[in-house]
Amino acid sequence: QVQLVESGGALVQAGGSLRLSCTASGRTFSSYSMGWFRQAPGKEREFVATINRSGLSTYYADSVKGRFTISRDNAKNAMYLQMNSLKPEDTAVYYCAASAYFGPRYSSTDYNYWGQGTQVTVSS
């Protein structure tokens, strides 16, 4: 089993940057594909970015492509989301998730473990 804890959420002005972190318990972090999802008030949870086990393959939602960067450090059991050029529409609770499936995963149903989320608020 994997336990995930997100951190780094904050209130930031539009155009600013944040770096989210996700730390995982256990010794098998490198066995999981990882992803970031977000959920805004009144909306469904949506895919943001995913990274494969080695960290060599990444994919992004069109809405964040070119602004967000997902990465991982398997030695530290950690995953990151660097968010630049933030917009008010990026405001949401951000969740990290771990998937036992091979390769990057886009659907929330492919993920086995979830963190509790961290709030990101972007003011205009």
Side-chain angles (χ1 to χ4, degrees):
Q1 190 163 352
V2 177
Q3 291 185 332
L4 304 172
V5 179
E6 304 94 335
S7 62
L11 171 63
V12 63
Q13 288 188 335
S17 298
L18 280 177
R19 188 193 195 207
L20 304 184
S21 298
C22 172
T23 55
S25 63
R27 299 180 179 180
T28 59
F29 177 72
S30 60
S31 299
Y32 293 91
S33 296
M34 298 294 295
W36 287 98
F37 289 76
R38 66 187 183 186
Q39 188 167 18
K43 296 187 177 181
E44 294 187 353
R45 189 171 298 187
E46 65 174 1
F47 167 76
V48 175
T50 181
I51 188 166
N52 72 340
R53 298 174 183 182
S54 67
L56 295 179
S57 293
T58 59
Y59 295 92
Y60 299 90
D62 288 342
S63 59
V64 307
K65 198 173 296 183
R67 300 188 297 121
F68 290 10
T69 302
I70 188 172
S71 61
R72 67 189 296 166
D73 185 338
N74 288 339
K76 295 182 178 180
N77 279 13
M79 177 181 65
Y80 309 99
L81 185 68
Q82 178 65 44
M83 305 187 295
N84 298 328
S85 302
L86 283 162
K87 304 176 181 179
E89 51 263 44
D90 295 318
T91 295
V93 177
Y94 283 71
Y95 298 90
C96 70
S99 172
Y101 284 99
F102 181 80
R105 314 303 299 185
Y106 309 97
S107 172
S108 61
T109 58
D110 289 341
Y111 286 81
N112 308 93
Y113 304 103
W114 293 83
Q116 294 299 308
T118 186
Q119 177 70 48
V120 172
T121 303
V122 184
S123 63
S124 57

